[in-house]
Amino acid sequence: MSEAKLAITTHNLSCRYGEFTALHPLNLDIPKGEIFGFLGHNGAGKTTTIRLLTTLLEPSSGEAIVAGCDARRNVVQLRRQIGYLPENVRLYDALSTRENLRFFASLSQIDDARERVEEVMDFLQIRDLADRRLGTFSKGMRQRVGLAQAIVHRPSILFLDEPTSGLDPMGVRMLREVIERLNADGMTIFMNTHLLSEVARSCSSIGVLSHGQLVFHDRIEAVSARYGDEAALEELYLSVVPGREDAA
Protein backbone atom coordinates (compact mmCIF):
# COMPACT_ATOMS: atom_id res chain seq x y z
CA MET A 1 0.00 0.00 0.00
CA SER A 2 1.31 3.45 -0.92
CA GLU A 3 2.22 5.84 1.90
CA ALA A 4 -0.42 8.28 0.59
CA LYS A 5 -3.09 5.81 1.73
CA LEU A 6 -1.53 5.19 5.13
CA ALA A 7 -2.30 7.13 8.30
CA ILE A 8 0.63 5.54 10.15
CA THR A 9 3.62 3.55 8.98
CA THR A 10 6.67 2.49 10.98
CA HIS A 11 9.96 0.99 9.85
CA ASN A 12 11.99 -0.86 12.49
CA LEU A 13 10.80 1.59 15.14
CA SER A 14 12.32 0.71 18.51
CA CYS A 15 12.86 2.10 22.00
CA ARG A 16 15.45 1.11 24.58
CA TYR A 17 16.09 2.27 28.11
CA GLY A 18 19.71 1.37 28.74
CA GLU A 19 19.94 -2.41 28.39
CA PHE A 20 16.17 -2.87 28.47
CA THR A 21 14.22 -2.96 25.19
CA ALA A 22 10.72 -1.55 25.67
CA LEU A 23 9.81 -1.86 21.99
CA HIS A 24 11.52 -4.20 19.56
CA PRO A 25 11.76 -3.12 15.89
CA LEU A 26 8.16 -2.43 14.91
CA ASN A 27 6.93 -2.54 11.32
CA LEU A 28 3.30 -1.50 11.17
CA ASP A 29 1.04 -0.04 8.48
CA ILE A 30 -2.36 1.44 9.40
CA PRO A 31 -4.50 2.72 6.50
CA LYS A 32 -6.42 5.96 6.72
CA GLY A 33 -9.90 5.61 8.18
CA GLU A 34 -9.14 2.63 10.42
CA ILE A 35 -10.13 2.11 14.02
CA PHE A 36 -7.03 0.23 15.12
CA GLY A 37 -7.09 -1.64 18.41
CA PHE A 38 -3.68 -2.20 20.00
CA LEU A 39 -3.92 -5.05 22.49
CA GLY A 40 -1.38 -6.20 25.04
CA HIS A 41 -0.82 -7.06 28.68
CA ASN A 42 0.17 -4.38 31.17
CA GLY A 43 3.74 -3.42 30.37
CA ALA A 44 3.68 -4.81 26.82
CA GLY A 45 4.89 -1.52 25.36
CA LYS A 46 1.60 -0.05 24.12
CA THR A 47 2.01 3.33 25.81
CA THR A 48 5.64 3.49 24.69
CA THR A 49 4.44 3.00 21.11
CA ILE A 50 1.88 5.79 21.37
CA ARG A 51 4.48 8.13 22.87
CA LEU A 52 6.82 7.40 19.96
CA LEU A 53 4.07 8.01 17.40
CA THR A 54 2.98 11.27 19.06
CA THR A 55 6.57 12.66 19.34
CA LEU A 56 6.54 12.49 23.14
CA LEU A 57 9.40 10.01 23.12
CA GLU A 58 12.51 9.84 20.93
CA PRO A 59 13.00 6.46 19.24
CA SER A 60 16.24 4.56 19.69
CA SER A 61 16.15 3.53 16.03
CA GLY A 62 13.87 3.33 13.03
CA GLU A 63 11.28 5.80 11.82
CA ALA A 64 7.59 6.59 11.99
CA ILE A 65 5.52 8.49 9.45
CA VAL A 66 2.29 9.76 11.00
CA ALA A 67 -0.26 11.78 9.01
CA GLY A 68 2.39 12.16 6.34
CA CYS A 69 4.92 13.66 8.77
CA ASP A 70 8.22 12.23 9.94
CA ALA A 71 7.97 11.87 13.73
CA ARG A 72 11.60 12.95 14.15
CA ARG A 73 11.96 15.70 11.54
CA ASN A 74 8.47 17.25 11.38
CA VAL A 75 7.44 17.38 15.03
CA VAL A 76 5.46 20.64 14.97
CA GLN A 77 3.65 19.77 11.75
CA LEU A 78 2.81 16.28 13.03
CA ARG A 79 1.40 17.57 16.32
CA ARG A 80 -1.02 19.77 14.39
CA GLN A 81 -2.40 16.68 12.66
CA ILE A 82 -3.01 14.47 15.69
CA GLY A 83 -5.02 14.39 18.88
CA TYR A 84 -4.02 12.47 21.99
CA LEU A 85 -6.01 11.35 25.01
CA PRO A 86 -3.71 9.80 27.66
CA GLU A 87 -4.98 7.36 30.27
CA ASN A 88 -4.71 10.05 32.94
CA VAL A 89 -6.00 13.32 31.51
CA ARG A 90 -4.01 16.43 32.37
CA LEU A 91 -6.18 19.53 32.49
CA TYR A 92 -6.33 22.67 34.62
CA ASP A 93 -8.47 21.96 37.68
CA ALA A 94 -8.99 25.63 38.54
CA LEU A 95 -10.49 26.36 35.11
CA SER A 96 -13.92 25.48 33.79
CA THR A 97 -14.50 23.11 30.88
CA ARG A 98 -15.02 26.02 28.49
CA GLU A 99 -11.91 27.84 29.77
CA ASN A 100 -9.79 24.71 29.41
CA LEU A 101 -10.97 24.10 25.87
CA ARG A 102 -10.50 27.71 24.81
CA PHE A 103 -6.98 27.67 26.20
CA PHE A 104 -6.02 24.53 24.28
CA ALA A 105 -7.75 25.82 21.16
CA SER A 106 -5.68 29.00 21.38
CA LEU A 107 -2.48 26.93 21.62
CA SER A 108 -3.48 25.24 18.37
CA GLN A 109 -4.07 28.67 16.79
CA ILE A 110 -7.58 27.81 15.66
CA ASP A 111 -9.15 30.75 13.81
CA ASP A 112 -12.70 30.03 15.01
CA ALA A 113 -11.64 28.92 18.50
CA ARG A 114 -14.71 30.11 20.43
CA GLU A 115 -17.15 28.68 17.91
CA ARG A 116 -15.20 25.44 17.66
CA VAL A 117 -15.22 24.95 21.45
CA GLU A 118 -19.01 25.31 21.53
CA GLU A 119 -19.31 22.91 18.59
CA VAL A 120 -17.17 20.25 20.28
CA MET A 121 -19.06 20.54 23.57
CA ASP A 122 -22.30 20.00 21.68
CA PHE A 123 -20.82 17.05 19.77
CA LEU A 124 -19.71 15.35 22.99
CA GLN A 125 -22.83 16.41 24.90
CA ILE A 126 -20.90 18.15 27.67
CA ARG A 127 -22.48 21.59 27.54
CA ASP A 128 -23.82 20.98 31.04
CA LEU A 129 -20.19 20.91 32.18
CA ALA A 130 -19.19 24.10 30.37
CA ASP A 131 -18.98 26.42 33.38
CA ARG A 132 -17.94 23.88 36.02
CA ARG A 133 -14.36 23.67 37.27
CA LEU A 134 -12.44 20.51 36.38
CA GLY A 135 -11.31 20.01 39.97
CA THR A 136 -14.81 18.82 40.89
CA PHE A 137 -15.09 16.21 38.12
CA SER A 138 -15.13 12.41 38.26
CA LYS A 139 -12.72 10.49 36.03
CA GLY A 140 -15.45 9.83 33.49
CA MET A 141 -16.28 13.53 33.25
CA ARG A 142 -12.58 14.39 32.91
CA GLN A 143 -12.25 11.80 30.11
CA ARG A 144 -15.01 13.52 28.15
CA VAL A 145 -13.38 16.93 28.52
CA GLY A 146 -10.00 15.39 27.68
CA LEU A 147 -11.49 13.94 24.52
CA ALA A 148 -12.90 17.35 23.63
CA GLN A 149 -9.42 18.85 24.06
CA ALA A 150 -7.96 16.11 21.85
CA ILE A 151 -10.29 16.82 18.91
CA VAL A 152 -10.88 20.57 19.21
CA HIS A 153 -8.25 21.32 16.52
CA ARG A 154 -9.78 18.83 14.04
CA PRO A 155 -6.99 16.24 13.93
CA SER A 156 -6.86 13.60 11.21
CA ILE A 157 -5.61 10.92 13.64
CA LEU A 158 -6.73 10.42 17.24
CA PHE A 159 -4.60 8.43 19.71
CA LEU A 160 -6.37 6.97 22.74
CA ASP A 161 -4.42 5.32 25.57
CA GLU A 162 -6.70 3.00 27.58
CA PRO A 163 -9.65 5.39 27.10
CA THR A 164 -12.13 3.19 28.96
CA SER A 165 -10.00 2.88 32.10
CA GLY A 166 -12.08 3.80 35.14
CA LEU A 167 -15.30 4.30 33.18
CA ASP A 168 -18.60 2.70 34.13
CA PRO A 169 -20.54 0.71 31.49
CA MET A 170 -22.54 3.77 30.43
CA GLY A 171 -19.32 5.76 30.01
CA VAL A 172 -17.76 2.98 27.95
CA ARG A 173 -20.79 2.83 25.68
CA MET A 174 -20.85 6.60 25.23
CA LEU A 175 -17.14 6.65 24.38
CA ARG A 176 -17.62 3.84 21.85
CA GLU A 177 -20.38 5.77 20.13
CA VAL A 178 -18.23 8.91 19.98
CA ILE A 179 -15.31 6.97 18.49
CA GLU A 180 -17.57 5.50 15.83
CA ARG A 181 -19.00 8.93 14.96
CA LEU A 182 -15.53 10.46 14.67
CA ASN A 183 -14.41 7.60 12.47
CA ALA A 184 -17.51 7.96 10.29
CA ASP A 185 -16.40 11.55 9.65
CA GLY A 186 -13.05 10.26 8.37
CA MET A 187 -10.85 10.33 11.47
CA THR A 188 -8.34 7.50 11.98
CA ILE A 189 -8.36 6.09 15.51
CA PHE A 190 -5.41 4.37 17.22
CA MET A 191 -6.60 2.89 20.50
CA ASN A 192 -4.54 1.14 23.17
CA THR A 193 -6.78 -1.18 25.14
CA HIS A 194 -6.96 -4.45 27.00
CA LEU A 195 -10.74 -4.81 26.57
CA LEU A 196 -11.48 -7.47 23.96
CA SER A 197 -15.15 -6.51 24.02
CA GLU A 198 -14.37 -3.02 22.73
CA VAL A 199 -12.06 -4.40 20.05
CA ALA A 200 -14.74 -6.81 18.84
CA ARG A 201 -17.38 -4.08 18.70
CA SER A 202 -15.49 -1.07 17.39
CA CYS A 203 -12.19 -1.86 15.68
CA SER A 204 -11.62 -2.50 11.99
CA SER A 205 -8.13 -3.94 12.57
CA ILE A 206 -6.09 -5.11 15.54
CA GLY A 207 -2.52 -5.65 16.61
CA VAL A 208 -1.24 -7.59 19.60
CA LEU A 209 1.93 -6.54 21.41
CA SER A 210 3.72 -8.88 23.79
CA HIS A 211 6.86 -7.92 25.69
CA GLY A 212 7.61 -5.19 23.18
CA GLN A 213 7.09 -7.35 20.09
CA LEU A 214 4.23 -7.25 17.59
CA VAL A 215 2.99 -10.83 17.53
CA PHE A 216 -0.26 -10.42 15.57
CA HIS A 217 -1.79 -7.93 13.12
CA ASP A 218 -4.86 -8.40 10.92
CA ARG A 219 -8.22 -7.03 9.87
CA ILE A 220 -11.02 -7.69 12.35
CA GLU A 221 -13.20 -9.41 9.74
CA ALA A 222 -10.39 -11.88 9.04
CA VAL A 223 -10.06 -12.50 12.78
CA SER A 224 -13.82 -12.95 13.16
CA ALA A 225 -14.02 -15.31 10.20
CA ARG A 226 -11.22 -17.45 11.63
CA TYR A 227 -11.91 -17.28 15.35
CA GLY A 228 -15.58 -16.34 15.63
CA ASP A 229 -17.03 -14.60 18.66
CA GLU A 230 -15.43 -12.61 21.48
CA ALA A 231 -14.64 -15.74 23.48
CA ALA A 232 -12.66 -17.09 20.53
CA LEU A 233 -10.94 -13.72 20.19
CA GLU A 234 -9.82 -14.14 23.78
CA GLU A 235 -8.38 -17.52 22.89
CA LEU A 236 -6.52 -15.89 20.00
CA TYR A 237 -5.05 -13.29 22.32
CA LEU A 238 -3.95 -15.85 24.88
CA SER A 239 -2.48 -18.08 22.17
CA VAL A 240 -0.21 -15.38 20.70
CA VAL A 241 0.95 -13.89 24.00
CA PRO A 242 3.62 -16.27 25.35
CA GLY A 243 3.47 -14.92 28.91
CA ARG A 244 1.39 -12.36 30.79
CA GLU A 245 3.80 -11.21 33.43
CA ASP A 246 4.54 -7.47 33.27
CA ALA A 247 7.35 -6.31 31.03
CA ALA A 248 7.65 -2.53 30.47
Side-chain angles (χ1 to χ4, degrees):
M1 184 178 293
S2 68
E3 287 196 358
K5 295 182 179 181
L6 293 174
I8 300 167
T9 183
T10 71
H11 304 285
N12 295 321
L13 187 69
S14 71
C15 180
R16 294 184 297 274
Y17 299 101
E19 297 297 317
F20 177 73
T21 301
L23 182 68
H24 293 271
L26 174 68
N27 294 288
L28 181 65
D29 291 338
I30 301 176
K32 293 178 180 177
E34 292 282 298
I35 301 179
F36 177 74
F38 209 29
L39 290 161
H41 55 83
N42 290 336
K46 303 188 304 297
T47 296
T48 293
T49 302
I50 273 195
R51 288 175 178 170
L52 290 168
L53 297 177
T54 56
T55 77
L56 297 177
L57 190 62
E58 182 79 11
S60 300
S61 63
E63 65 175 355
I65 307 297
V66 181
C69 304
D70 189 299
R72 274 181 162 168
R73 300 181 178 89
N74 308 117
V75 173
V76 174
Q77 183 181 356
L78 189 157
R79 288 179 178 178
R80 290 173 178 164
Q81 299 296 320
I82 63 173
Y84 174 44
L85 179 65
E87 182 175 359
N88 296 304
V89 181
R90 296 181 180 178
L91 297 164
Y92 292 98
D93 287 350
L95 301 181
S96 68
T97 295
R98 180 179 281 114
E99 289 168 338
N100 266 283
L101 295 179
R102 285 181 178 177
F103 172 72
F104 286 107
S106 68
L107 292 181
S108 299
Q109 299 179 334
I110 300 174
D111 292 336
D112 56 343
R114 288 177 175 267
E115 293 81 1
R116 176 59 179 166
V117 166
E118 302 303 314
E119 178 183 303
V120 169
M121 287 195 296
D122 285 338
F123 178 79
L124 295 177
Q125 300 178 358
I126 57 173
R127 185 169 288 280
D128 58 318
L129 306 178
D131 298 314
R132 294 176 57 182
R133 292 186 178 182
L134 270 290
T136 65
F137 286 7
S138 66
K139 180 163 185 178
M141 294 160 68
R142 292 179 69 88
Q143 285 286 88
R144 292 164 68 189
V145 179
L147 183 57
Q149 177 270 319
I151 66 172
V152 71
H153 58 297
R154 302 181 179 92
S156 61
I157 304 175
L158 177 62
F159 291 91
L160 305 172
D161 193 0
E162 299 289 357
T164 58
S165 175
L167 298 184
D168 60 23
M170 184 62 70
V172 172
R173 180 177 181 178
M174 183 178 298
L175 179 64
R176 183 194 316 132
E177 291 173 349
V178 168
I179 289 171
E180 291 172 352
R181 288 164 61 197
L182 290 169
N183 181 250
D185 287 339
M187 190 178 294
T188 302
I189 313 292
F190 186 111
M191 178 171 62
N192 280 356
T193 184
H194 60 275
L195 293 183
L196 293 174
S197 59
E198 290 311 299
V199 169
R201 293 176 179 174
S202 302
C203 295
S204 50
S205 63
I206 67 169
V208 180
L209 200 66
S210 176
H211 303 286
Q213 292 185 320
L214 184 69
V215 294
F216 185 86
H217 180 209
D218 208 342
R219 300 278 303 172
I220 195 68
E221 60 262 28
V223 176
S224 298
R226 181 175 179 183
Y227 295 98
D229 60 14
E230 183 184 327
L233 184 61
E234 180 178 354
E235 290 303 315
L236 159 67
Y237 174 74
L238 294 177
S239 70
V240 298
V241 176
R244 297 191 299 276
E245 63 272 15
D246 288 356

